[in-house]
Amino acid sequence: MARYTPPLRDMQFVMHELLDAESILKSLPAYADTGRELIDQVLEEGGKFCAEVLFPLNRSGDEEGCHWDDGAVTTPSGFREAWEQFKAGGWPTLTCDPEYGGQGLPMTVGIAFQEMMNSGNQAWTMYPGLTHGAYSALRAHGTPEQKSMYLPKIVSGQWMATMCLTEPQCGTDLGILRTKAEPQSDGSYRITGNKIFISSGEHDWAENIVHLVLARLPDAPSGTRGISLFLVPKFVPDADGSPGARNAVRCSRIEEKMGIHGNATCALDFDGAVGTLVGEPNKGLQAMFVMMNAARIGVGMQSLGLMEVAYQNSLDYAKERLQMRSLTGVKAPDKPADPIIVHPDVRRMLLTQKAWAEGSRAFACWLGLQADVAAAHPDADERAAAEDLLALLTPVVKAFLTDNGFASTNLALQVYGGHGYIREWGMEQYVRDARINMIYEGTNTIQSLDLLGRKVLLDSGAKLRKFGALVDAFVEEHGTDDEMAEFVNPLTELRQKVEKLTMEIGMKALGNADEAGAAAVDYLRVIGHLVLGYFWARMARVALDRADSDDAFYRAKLATARFYFAKLLPETAGLIRSARTGAAPLMNVELDWF
Amino acid sequence: MARYTPPLRDMQFVMHELLDAESILKSLPAYADTGRELIDQVLEEGGKFCAEVLFPLNRSGDEEGCHWDDGAVTTPSGFREAWEQFKAGGWPTLTCDPEYGGQGLPMTVGIAFQEMMNSGNQAWTMYPGLTHGAYSALRAHGTPEQKSMYLPKIVSGQWMATMCLTEPQCGTDLGILRTKAEPQSDGSYRITGNKIFISSGEHDWAENIVHLVLARLPDAPSGTRGISLFLVPKFVPDADGSPGARNAVRCSRIEEKMGIHGNATCALDFDGAVGTLVGEPNKGLQAMFVMMNAARIGVGMQSLGLMEVAYQNSLDYAKERLQMRSLTGVKAPDKPADPIIVHPDVRRMLLTQKAWAEGSRAFACWLGLQADVAAAHPDADERAAAEDLLALLTPVVKAFLTDNGFASTNLALQVYGGHGYIREWGMEQYVRDARINMIYEGTNTIQSLDLLGRKVLLDSGAKLRKFGALVDAFVEEHGTDDEMAEFVNPLTELRQKVEKLTMEIGMKALGNADEAGAAAVDYLRVIGHLVLGYFWARMARVALDRADSDDAFYRAKLATARFYFAKLLPETAGLIRSARTGAAPLMNVELDWF
């Protein structure tokens, strides 16, 4: 009943008119050939796959779920066949290194494709998503032998992969993980322990599954400095690379969850499984963080994808559903009632979704460009500058987009009224699926502590000033432009408030570290608005430049920018007040007062 | 794994120390005997039933759901037996009229009991809840014959009842409903049409189910002025009152939903079913609104119940789950990590739930007293004054508590991290169950339009000024009290801002009705904070008076009041800004720009 149309027009606007991705990519030798036509072509073809192959499996995958039988896991009907088609189309290789069989396209394109995959089917997309995460970690930290044995097969999709971090007693706090790795005389290790919440941990899609597992060596220091990363294949490859002996890793159950039912969330028992070390001993967390940072952006893309598809459907419904008359007079006299889109609050719910989705898309694609510049620019200073922006805003793209994604899919459900609560319309699935994104790959509280503590306060705001400089340059350029005043003025005001708030929290946190912890969640949302305010102002500028165009797209963009500044940005007023009240109202509460 | 402990101590605080319910009830002849001891005893016994009988069926009811087989509906295991126990304990009769076998207790007590029932099991509680709604409508508008035939059996729980409003093409907009009622020569009617989303519409609990059905007479005017209310029993009673011939009403399916799986949401087909008129022809909506207003308060109680039980469990988890060390130094040196309740943001999540739940409880019990005064005070002016406050704040208790209930249960889930997303812990069920409360009995948008349009602007703010007078009196009494300044000052500021905002919207709405529609949702949340701010200030005053007590309860209450004013009330700053930007950002958007 639901539908999905890839938002190609908006993606083209962001890529070409807003960000001029082509010019930036041209400055990166590895991506110099990724011109506008190639980008458009990949997105068009990719979008078609997402809409035609992945999307039709979304509701059925949710209904059917995964099934566990004596250690084996079956995924929903059609999932595996879609993976075969995905491989046949070469999609797993899209942004991978040509050295291992990849097509070598930039992350900017990969991010836009991720959005569409998740609009099509988040649970399905997690299987290749985790595999790609493991690819990134292995490529950065694997030994030459690991790379040549595993990477070509992972890139092609012949083998798949997982990331095994969580254990029953440790989620956020990896310092207390217990899984053990015992060195063997042949240089390999025997891994023993229980991992839980392993997404895509077992399934029937590939002839082999490569687990990247965090574990402790016998002599490891306690805490996070004693964690190493190991590669543990489900089948230990023979010398010729074909899957050999079954390794001692077993899926002992899959979880019953609120959503993402099409993805197998596995408990994996390692019982002396054969593994090899990835990277240096006791430096497993650093190796894992290569994957984790990409995964955090990926989670943001999951929520962006859900926002977009839920928006499209609630928009259709609001145009079709007849209920009540407009307060300002009948709008559809030939019908028994007006379509609900005439009502102001239905418009608020629709425009909120639209503003979050389009603003997030601009932010995410820009962040993809920063990732590409950070990875591939010939100039080290340029790389470092982009790396700083990427590091600063990765927790923001994860937490801000996933909080908004949950709110946004809930608005889509609400537009449907009672029908939104019924399964067949599909909206409630988006809400259930979106909910996990606020939790995994580091809860949104952890993201906010990463932003405020590590990314902002630790370097005395240096990274934040780099983003601030972009805002300042924009304000400087358009600050005297009358038609931009409605965007530039609130952006400037917020920019100044952020500076003041950051200094204030920084000073307080010097005396009491809980002051940072108390302000962090509010602070991240404020920064999220600074970022989205900046991109909405830039989009408004582009739209104003095309105001004479016949294309309603630009008038729509301008109207959505106005909506954002009028109705969403004001949230910052309350957030800043709340943040400024500090830690006392939280910490001056005895345990038995709760 | 989860637990529920009835919050008797807090209920006693609200009833006796905050509101002095006993004194107010003493002034109402019908309730003059409802003293403190009786209230406490009923709540204690009722709480025991909710915790020991209803709560253990909550998770299993969600897992098992309801089953439809050729028109018959089976509810989850244990549900029917719990109803037998409920009846045996006389609980259905609690607040019913003694004339029909009720115990005649005031709504104030009924509301507190409702909260606990919903903490125990919302899906179960909906069966007696709908029955009670039908009781209220029949008692107010039934003929003497209908009352004598049906009310005693409904009050005792021997028969149950439903409310049949929604049809496929009409939910919010009852004016377009199509179900027909054809008069018969014997004075009865034949009802034909399709109703959907009928909660508790069919089940195996009672020997008869009495449907109250909205339908149109042949000569009825179009729109809401042509709707009549009919009583349509599943089995037409014989003259002696025993269930006779099976009536032509059939459950054609039950819905698959996001939550409240233990409640049967039915599509009911009426095919010339025999019915009798309730109230006057074409005045069915007025009769239905007797039920609707009570039901809206009931929905608020559903969310309060869920907030409380989810809070209790997330609190337990936060005290037990060990993860990371406190930023200000190790707190549990004998353990591998500190309990997560040491972290500021976990405390924010817990205290937010606690502040919403306790503030809502005070508000709801006070509203229950208004309902009792409105129904039973000997003085007409007193009745009218209470009726005005009740009318004003019914949409607020429905929408504000259910929005907060959804946010609150989501915070409970978030405290559990990944475990919150897993079914076995039970938190995700609370989120799924809480979601419907924002929709049914009038969506929260409808509540906000009712508040701003009908309750505030239509009488030029007269009802709002009555609530404002309570706030003013409190401010006047405690405004020069230094230790109350931290509560009275922000309350006073908000009070003034509400007055200004109301006038501003009122003026704008005179020129453009969409201005009210655009501001309504923000406005309702602002009023919600004015109400909760008032009660939190009053609770702080009581707690300060007991500051020397050994009972930590009062220090906890004071700390929670401080948290509310520091971290939750500031939301109003953004809401007021957003509301003031008016309708243009919503309405100046062409249809094809969405």
Side-chain angles (χ1 to χ4, degrees), chain B residues 17-41:
Chain B
E17 300 179 69
L18 180 71
L19 302 177
D20 193 10
E22 189 175 53
S23 299
I24 295 170
L25 293 171
K26 267 204 180 17
S27 68
L28 313 176
Y31 305 128
D33 296 338
T34 312
R36 179 171 178 150
E37 276 181 31
L38 177 59
I39 294 174
D40 288 353
Q41 189 191 341

Tab-separated table of all heavy atoms in Angstrom, chain B residues 17-41:
chain	number	residue	atom	x	y	z
B	17	GLU	N	-2.263	15.564	51.436
B	17	GLU	CA	-1.405	16.688	51.810
B	17	GLU	C	-1.485	17.830	50.812
B	17	GLU	O	-1.430	18.999	51.186
B	17	GLU	CB	0.035	16.204	51.956
B	17	GLU	CG	0.173	15.132	53.040
B	17	GLU	CD	1.594	14.637	53.173
B	17	GLU	OE1	2.457	15.400	53.630
B	17	GLU	OE2	1.847	13.468	52.803
B	18	LEU	N	-1.602	17.489	49.545
B	18	LEU	CA	-1.642	18.541	48.527
B	18	LEU	C	-3.058	19.083	48.336
B	18	LEU	O	-3.276	20.292	48.374
B	18	LEU	CB	-1.103	18.001	47.194
B	18	LEU	CG	-1.082	19.010	46.051
B	18	LEU	CD1	-0.001	20.063	46.280
B	18	LEU	CD2	-0.878	18.315	44.708
B	19	LEU	N	-4.016	18.175	48.110
B	19	LEU	CA	-5.355	18.614	47.689
B	19	LEU	C	-6.392	18.622	48.809
B	19	LEU	O	-7.443	19.217	48.657
B	19	LEU	CB	-5.859	17.713	46.551
B	19	LEU	CG	-4.976	17.655	45.300
B	19	LEU	CD1	-5.566	16.665	44.300
B	19	LEU	CD2	-4.844	19.036	44.645
B	20	ASP	N	-6.104	17.974	49.908
B	20	ASP	CA	-7.090	17.822	50.988
B	20	ASP	C	-8.433	17.366	50.422
B	20	ASP	O	-9.474	18.013	50.623
B	20	ASP	CB	-7.230	19.133	51.768
B	20	ASP	CG	-8.004	18.930	53.084
B	20	ASP	OD1	-8.241	17.752	53.455
B	20	ASP	OD2	-8.368	19.940	53.708
B	21	ALA	N	-8.385	16.269	49.719
B	21	ALA	CA	-9.578	15.763	49.035
B	21	ALA	C	-10.724	15.532	50.018
B	21	ALA	O	-11.889	15.798	49.711
B	21	ALA	CB	-9.239	14.463	48.301
B	22	GLU	N	-10.387	15.075	51.189
B	22	GLU	CA	-11.415	14.765	52.183
B	22	GLU	C	-12.319	15.968	52.446
B	22	GLU	O	-13.542	15.856	52.435
B	22	GLU	CB	-10.744	14.311	53.484
B	22	GLU	CG	-11.693	13.764	54.511
B	22	GLU	CD	-10.933	13.219	55.734
B	22	GLU	OE1	-10.105	13.981	56.298
B	22	GLU	OE2	-11.153	12.054	56.088
B	23	SER	N	-11.713	17.129	52.643
B	23	SER	CA	-12.511	18.329	52.933
B	23	SER	C	-13.406	18.695	51.765
B	23	SER	O	-14.564	19.081	51.959
B	23	SER	CB	-11.595	19.512	53.237
B	23	SER	OG	-10.814	19.238	54.352
B	24	ILE	N	-12.854	18.607	50.560
B	24	ILE	CA	-13.666	18.963	49.394
B	24	ILE	C	-14.812	17.985	49.239
B	24	ILE	O	-15.963	18.379	49.012
B	24	ILE	CB	-12.785	19.012	48.133
B	24	ILE	CG1	-11.751	20.143	48.274
B	24	ILE	CG2	-13.625	19.198	46.867
B	24	ILE	CD1	-10.677	20.150	47.237
B	25	LEU	N	-14.516	16.695	49.389
B	25	LEU	CA	-15.560	15.686	49.211
B	25	LEU	C	-16.635	15.804	50.293
B	25	LEU	O	-17.803	15.525	50.051
B	25	LEU	CB	-14.947	14.280	49.205
B	25	LEU	CG	-14.051	13.982	47.986
B	25	LEU	CD1	-13.308	12.657	48.158
B	25	LEU	CD2	-14.865	13.965	46.686
B	26	LYS	N	-16.225	16.241	51.485
B	26	LYS	CA	-17.195	16.433	52.567
B	26	LYS	C	-18.269	17.453	52.198
B	26	LYS	O	-19.393	17.397	52.697
B	26	LYS	CB	-16.472	16.904	53.840
B	26	LYS	CG	-16.063	15.790	54.779
B	26	LYS	CD	-15.909	16.334	56.183
B	26	LYS	CE	-15.504	15.287	57.209
B	26	LYS	NZ	-14.953	14.018	56.749
B	27	SER	N	-17.910	18.387	51.330
B	27	SER	CA	-18.882	19.415	50.930
B	27	SER	C	-19.861	18.912	49.869
B	27	SER	O	-20.764	19.631	49.470
B	27	SER	CB	-18.145	20.650	50.405
B	27	SER	OG	-17.494	20.342	49.183
B	28	LEU	N	-19.645	17.667	49.413
B	28	LEU	CA	-20.525	17.084	48.395
B	28	LEU	C	-21.349	15.990	49.058
B	28	LEU	O	-20.796	14.936	49.420
B	28	LEU	CB	-19.689	16.482	47.257
B	28	LEU	CG	-18.565	17.373	46.712
B	28	LEU	CD1	-17.760	16.622	45.653
B	28	LEU	CD2	-19.123	18.674	46.155
B	29	PRO	N	-22.649	16.221	49.231
B	29	PRO	CA	-23.466	15.247	49.986
B	29	PRO	C	-23.274	13.810	49.507
B	29	PRO	O	-23.200	12.893	50.335
B	29	PRO	CB	-24.894	15.743	49.742
B	29	PRO	CG	-24.740	17.218	49.501
B	29	PRO	CD	-23.429	17.394	48.816
B	30	ALA	N	-23.196	13.609	48.196
B	30	ALA	CA	-23.106	12.237	47.692
B	30	ALA	C	-21.818	11.551	48.135
B	30	ALA	O	-21.756	10.319	48.195
B	30	ALA	CB	-23.191	12.244	46.168
B	31	TYR	N	-20.782	12.356	48.397
B	31	TYR	CA	-19.470	11.765	48.696
B	31	TYR	C	-18.987	12.125	50.098
B	31	TYR	O	-17.795	11.982	50.401
B	31	TYR	CB	-18.440	12.227	47.660
B	31	TYR	CG	-18.857	11.928	46.246
B	31	TYR	CD1	-18.858	12.917	45.263
B	31	TYR	CD2	-19.235	10.631	45.877
B	31	TYR	CE1	-19.233	12.641	43.957
B	31	TYR	CE2	-19.618	10.349	44.574
B	31	TYR	CZ	-19.613	11.360	43.619
B	31	TYR	OH	-19.985	11.068	42.340
B	32	ALA	N	-19.903	12.593	50.939
B	32	ALA	CA	-19.482	13.112	52.240
B	32	ALA	C	-18.809	12.052	53.105
B	32	ALA	O	-18.015	12.367	53.991
B	32	ALA	CB	-20.684	13.702	52.974
B	33	ASP	N	-19.088	10.796	52.792
B	33	ASP	CA	-18.491	9.726	53.612
B	33	ASP	C	-17.137	9.247	53.101
B	33	ASP	O	-16.531	8.357	53.694
B	33	ASP	CB	-19.449	8.521	53.652
B	33	ASP	CG	-20.756	8.878	54.340
B	33	ASP	OD1	-20.761	9.861	55.127
B	33	ASP	OD2	-21.767	8.198	54.088
B	34	THR	N	-16.707	9.811	51.975
B	34	THR	CA	-15.432	9.347	51.423
B	34	THR	C	-14.279	10.042	52.139
B	34	THR	O	-13.697	11.002	51.642
B	34	THR	CB	-15.366	9.632	49.908
B	34	THR	OG1	-16.579	9.188	49.299
B	34	THR	CG2	-14.195	8.890	49.290
B	35	GLY	N	-13.966	9.544	53.277
B	35	GLY	CA	-12.893	10.125	54.072
B	35	GLY	C	-11.538	9.544	53.709
B	35	GLY	O	-11.416	8.645	52.871
B	36	ARG	N	-10.536	10.057	54.368
B	36	ARG	CA	-9.159	9.669	54.110
B	36	ARG	C	-8.942	8.160	54.227
B	36	ARG	O	-8.299	7.546	53.392
B	36	ARG	CB	-8.263	10.417	55.090
B	36	ARG	CG	-6.814	10.097	54.949
B	36	ARG	CD	-5.948	11.021	55.804
B	36	ARG	NE	-4.564	10.593	55.636
B	36	ARG	CZ	-3.527	11.405	55.718
B	36	ARG	NH1	-3.695	12.684	55.967
B	36	ARG	NH2	-2.301	10.946	55.552
B	37	GLU	N	-9.511	7.596	55.275
B	37	GLU	CA	-9.271	6.163	55.478
B	37	GLU	C	-9.869	5.319	54.367
B	37	GLU	O	-9.245	4.362	53.892
B	37	GLU	CB	-9.858	5.724	56.819
B	37	GLU	CG	-8.910	6.001	57.964
B	37	GLU	CD	-9.483	5.548	59.295
B	37	GLU	OE1	-10.248	4.564	59.294
B	37	GLU	OE2	-9.167	6.186	60.308
B	38	LEU	N	-11.082	5.701	53.967
B	38	LEU	CA	-11.731	4.943	52.897
B	38	LEU	C	-10.927	5.056	51.598
B	38	LEU	O	-10.684	4.064	50.905
B	38	LEU	CB	-13.170	5.449	52.690
B	38	LEU	CG	-13.950	4.785	51.555
B	38	LEU	CD1	-14.066	3.276	51.762
B	38	LEU	CD2	-15.354	5.393	51.427
B	39	ILE	N	-10.503	6.273	51.277
B	39	ILE	CA	-9.702	6.481	50.063
B	39	ILE	C	-8.454	5.594	50.100
B	39	ILE	O	-8.146	4.868	49.156
B	39	ILE	CB	-9.296	7.964	49.922
B	39	ILE	CG1	-10.542	8.837	49.690
B	39	ILE	CG2	-8.289	8.143	48.792
B	39	ILE	CD1	-10.257	10.339	49.683
B	40	ASP	N	-7.746	5.665	51.214
B	40	ASP	CA	-6.500	4.896	51.322
B	40	ASP	C	-6.753	3.397	51.192
B	40	ASP	O	-5.978	2.676	50.546
B	40	ASP	CB	-5.811	5.186	52.659
B	40	ASP	CG	-5.215	6.588	52.692
B	40	ASP	OD1	-5.227	7.256	51.629
B	40	ASP	OD2	-4.758	7.008	53.766
B	41	GLN	N	-7.846	2.979	51.815
B	41	GLN	CA	-8.147	1.542	51.809
B	41	GLN	C	-8.483	1.060	50.390
B	41	GLN	O	-7.994	0.022	49.938
B	41	GLN	CB	-9.326	1.305	52.748
B	41	GLN	CG	-9.623	-0.149	53.024
B	41	GLN	CD	-10.967	-0.292	53.743
B	41	GLN	OE1	-11.477	0.673	54.335
B	41	GLN	NE2	-11.542	-1.482	53.680
